[in-house]
């Protein structure tokens, strides 16, 4: 996790640094629905490589956006879910969804 002084001065740049990649936004979108397992995410996010998914999840966990829960089972079960900080991004993702809907409707007319 970056220290405050390591973050960009611009607040928009800070947000982009946290979830600015296409894959991080789509992972966040999925986790807003419910907790997901690694392979569920990989199957749902068509085109993502295992390495990119792993790196994105690790980065989001380090930044405090998601939590990783390992269940003591055989084989081990791992679930990813939003942390309280991740949940605070719900209005941002919702606004992006609404904008996308409006844009698509505008293009359809």
């Amino acid at each position: 996790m970056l220290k405050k002084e390591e973050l960009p001065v611009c607040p928009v740049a800070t947000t982009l640094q946290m979830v600015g990649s296409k894959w991080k936004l789509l992972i966040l979108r999925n986790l807003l629905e419910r907790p997901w397992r690694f392979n569920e995410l990989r199957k749902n996010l068509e085109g993502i490589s295992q390495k990119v998914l792993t790196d994105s999840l690790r980065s989001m966990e380090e930044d405090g956006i998601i939590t990783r829960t390992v269940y003591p089972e055989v084989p081990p079960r791992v679930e990813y879910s939003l942390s309280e900080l991740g949940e605070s991004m719900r209005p941002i993702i919702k606004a992006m969804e609404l904008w996308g809907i409006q844009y698509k409707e505008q293009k359809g007319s």
Side-chain angles (χ1 to χ4, degrees):
M1 184 178 285
L2 294 175
K3 296 178 181 142
K4 186 176 182 178
E5 58 273 5
E6 296 173 316
L7 294 171
V9 174
C10 172
V12 173
T14 298
T15 304
L16 281 174
Q17 184 170 328
M18 304 305 273
V19 293
S21 79
K22 164 189 171 180
W23 296 118
K24 284 183 180 181
L25 282 170
L26 294 176
I27 291 166
L28 188 58
R29 174 207 62 194
N30 283 16
L31 294 178
L32 284 167
E33 294 175 15
R34 62 176 174 83
W36 289 67
R37 294 174 72 172
F38 183 89
N39 284 329
E40 287 181 308
L41 284 168
R42 190 160 165 227
K43 288 175 188 169
N44 184 267
L45 301 171
E46 192 172 313
I48 194 169
S49 70
Q50 183 168 337
K51 181 185 182 339
V52 169
L53 180 55
T54 299
D55 290 348
S56 297
L57 289 169
R58 282 184 183 153
S59 172
M60 293 171 78
E61 184 181 11
E62 286 173 15
D63 291 335
I65 296 170
I66 66 171
T67 57
R68 180 177 182 266
T69 305
V70 180
Y71 294 92
E73 301 172 357
V74 178
R77 178 170 54 107
V78 178
E79 280 187 350
Y80 296 91
S81 58
L82 290 179
S83 66
E84 190 174 323
L85 178 62
E87 271 293 333
S88 73
M89 299 193 84
R90 185 177 293 277
I92 296 168
I93 302 302
K94 186 65 176 174
M96 292 175 76
E97 176 187 18
L98 293 174
W99 187 91
I101 290 168
Q102 290 171 351
Y103 180 78
K104 288 169 91 174
E105 286 173 355
Q106 176 188 3
K107 286 296 185 183
S109 53

